[in-house]
Amino acid sequence: MEARSEALPLRCDKLPTPVIPKTRLQVWFIRICSSILLWTCIVQLVAVGELWHPQLLTGLSSQLSVFNYSHRKEVPPSISDPIMHRQLPPPSESAALSPHLPPPRIYRSNGYLTVSCNGGLNQMRAAICDMVTVARLLNLTLVVPELDKTSFWADPSNFSDIFNVNHFINSLRDEVKIMKRLPKRLGRNGAYKPLVMPPVSWSSEKYYLEQILPLFSKYSVIHFNKTDTRLANNGLSTNLQKLRCRVNFQALKFTPQIEALGHKLIQILLERGTFVALHLRYEMDMLAFSGCTQGCAEEEAEELKRMRYAYPWWREKEIVSSERRSQGLCPLTPEETALVMQALGIQKDTQIYIASGEIYGSKRRLAALRAAFPRILKKEMLLDPKDLQQFQNHSSQMAALDFMVSVASDIFIPTYDGNMAKLVGGHRRHLGFKKSIVLDRKKLVVLLDLHENRTISWDEFAIAVRLAHEGRVGQPAHRKVILDKPKEEDYFYANPEECLCETTDCIPLLDPGNSSVIQ
């Protein structure tokens, strides 16, 4: 009878006391299920809104983030997402959510972007930053970039041989999905054929949105076979510019092996005192490409000319060296560099670290520089050969070591404004505007010739050199904009001013009235 009576419906006015906890448990269970169902619907609604109109529910998403954090008794999010203006928690809160990785960005991919970078290490580095930004702008899935193996340097290194590929992928997961390789169905043996093309150089957001994005309605994969300077220096939204900086300064870390050896090299130099990193771009490829033969013997000039003709993608063939030099388009020779550094006040006992490859003419051309500065050093002189063995015949990996030393040096002096000079200069600005002397070669060759002809004395020469470089030491400055002439503008990565003034005292330089636009 007792078992039967328990099975009958219970009346509320005669509810036994022991049943009360079960009823409360049922109520809480219903509330939890309802909350889960409600949040699931909201999440699905936000996801659908992101697919059909990415900015439609941005505000709602932000409010949900604030609500979510307030219930955790944490500070509401305050850092804006660079592109979509969605709210992310500050770094400390991101770490609380995930101790290692930022939360992934959820979006519908419009297709896959594969790229082949061309050029040397620093040209490829800038291109990688640009391609991540393009993939983010167009909501694409980016495949880890391929590096150039066919240029003058013929370096067989892959991306993962130079950069920490897992850090690259994971540190940007809140911006863009990056894969190590295409899915098998889209791979080389798949049925889908990619569209292979080079994007137009110095292009704006409008070009990519109006010309490139529609192509993905026909092609699942687009392959950019050239990536250098394919994104404009100026005229882009601040959010895109900051994303380029984030990739450059945070996501592109060298491999642990390169970083360990680079730090060892820096430590050796620091223990010996102050050091100048001299990017002496007096290498065979640069001289052949530029047609600059100042100080070369006749047979050397012929050798450089033959090399220039051997590379069809070097378009200029017949070049008059003296004209090129007078225009300031030649790297300074080692002999000229020695005089300029003395005029700038570099002390004789200062360590001079040569951050470059093999100097053309080798010991003969370095004699004057070594006489002026006896403490000339290279990585091969400071490290055990066993340390460098794994990097031999990998010019980009060797260049990565020079890059690290150049960024860390007390003073950085490039003798030519190539890609390494520009990117190192930009990194040094990012680190607090460390002293980088950007040589005014057009003025210098005039002064050097006057001094050589004894038209001006040494003191006059030294004073003129110093005056010419008072405003060329890497201090805060506006990036030069030349309308319709992007090649003549200041390079974005040499002075990414949009990314530099949040934590440094250069806010006044970004005032619209302080413009350097040349009409």
Side-chain angles (χ1 to χ4, degrees), residues 206-459:
K206 182 178 180 181
Y207 165 79
Y208 284 100
L209 289 169
E210 296 184 359
Q211 302 296 321
I212 301 299
L213 184 57
L215 297 175
F216 282 95
S217 62
K218 182 178 180 181
Y219 298 93
S220 298
V221 181
I222 292 182
H223 179 77
F224 289 163
N225 56 4
K226 289 186 178 180
T227 55
D228 59 319
T229 62
R230 305 294 152 160
L231 198 56
N233 289 316
N234 303 292
L236 302 181
S237 65
T238 301
N239 294 324
L240 282 178
Q241 301 287 54
K242 289 186 175 182
L243 179 55
R244 296 167 92 177
C245 292
R246 179 179 170 187
V247 183
N248 191 22
F249 300 135
Q250 299 175 27
L252 283 178
K253 291 180 64 176
F254 293 124
T255 63
Q257 294 84 356
I258 291 175
E259 290 212 336
L261 193 56
H263 287 306
K264 180 179 179 179
L265 194 53
I266 292 166
Q267 190 61 36
I268 292 172
L269 287 161
L270 290 175
E271 288 173 354
R272 298 184 178 193
T274 300
F275 73 97
V276 173
L278 175 64
H279 184 44
L280 188 60
R281 194 66 170 96
Y282 202 78
E283 299 152 304
M284 188 176 186
D285 67 296
M286 173 50 63
L287 299 179
F289 172 77
S290 62
C292 299
T293 58
Q294 178 77 7
C296 292
E298 186 175 343
E299 58 271 19
E300 290 176 328
E302 285 299 318
E303 181 183 34
L304 295 172
K305 185 175 182 178
R306 287 195 299 270
M307 182 180 177
R308 184 163 65 252
Y309 272 89
Y311 288 88
W313 51 87
W314 292 353
R315 296 180 181 178
E316 288 188 86
K317 301 301 181 184
E318 291 298 325
I319 300 173
V320 179
S321 177
S322 58
E323 292 180 1
R324 184 63 60 93
R325 179 175 177 268
S326 66
Q327 295 167 354
L329 300 177
C330 287
L332 293 186
T333 68
E335 298 86 354
E336 292 171 337
T337 302
L339 291 171
V340 170
M341 289 176 62
Q342 288 175 309
L344 288 170
I346 306 296
Q347 297 299 308
K348 185 172 185 175
D349 61 347
T350 303
Q351 296 181 97
I352 308 297
Y353 178 87
I354 305 295
S356 63
E358 185 66 28
I359 301 303
Y360 191 62
S362 193
K363 293 181 180 180
R364 177 179 67 86
R365 298 308 301 271
L366 283 175
L369 185 62
R370 193 178 297 279
F373 301 97
R375 299 181 70 188
I376 286 183
L377 301 166
K378 296 192 73 173
K379 52 186 172 292
E380 292 83 357
M381 300 168 61
L382 297 170
L383 297 172
D384 190 293
K386 293 181 180 178
D387 290 333
L388 288 171
Q389 187 173 1
Q390 62 180 316
F391 303 112
Q392 295 296 334
N393 301 318
H394 294 84
S395 59
S396 290
Q397 295 181 48
M398 297 286 265
L401 296 173
D402 286 341
F403 181 93
M404 290 184 65
V405 174
S406 298
V407 170
S409 63
D410 294 285
I411 302 175
F412 174 61
I413 304 178
T415 62
Y416 188 77
D417 56 351
N419 289 293
M420 179 168 173
K422 292 171 181 174
L423 269 83
V424 169
H427 271 69
R428 291 174 66 84
R429 286 175 182 267
H430 175 68
L431 293 174
F433 301 96
K434 298 175 69 175
K435 191 171 184 178
S436 303
I437 304 177
V438 182
L439 300 179
D440 189 335
R441 296 186 306 280
K442 190 171 183 178
K443 288 183 180 179
L444 283 175
V445 294
V446 174
L447 293 172
L448 286 162
D449 290 345
L450 289 173
H451 175 257
E452 184 179 357
N453 297 334
R454 298 185 179 181
T455 304
I456 59 175
S457 67
W458 170 257
D459 289 341

Side-chain angles (χ1 to χ4, degrees), residues 61-106:
S61 178
S62 300
Q63 293 301 318
L64 293 178
S65 299
V66 174
F67 178 81
N68 191 27
Y69 279 90
S70 65
H71 277 262
R72 297 184 191 194
K73 297 183 179 180
E74 297 177 355
V75 179
S78 60
I79 296 180
S80 297
D81 176 85
I83 307 299
M84 300 301 294
H85 304 289
R86 94 186 130 81
Q87 297 293 316
L88 294 177
S92 60
E93 295 178 4
S94 295
L97 289 175
S98 174
H100 304 294
L101 304 176
R105 174 174 170 258
I106 307 300

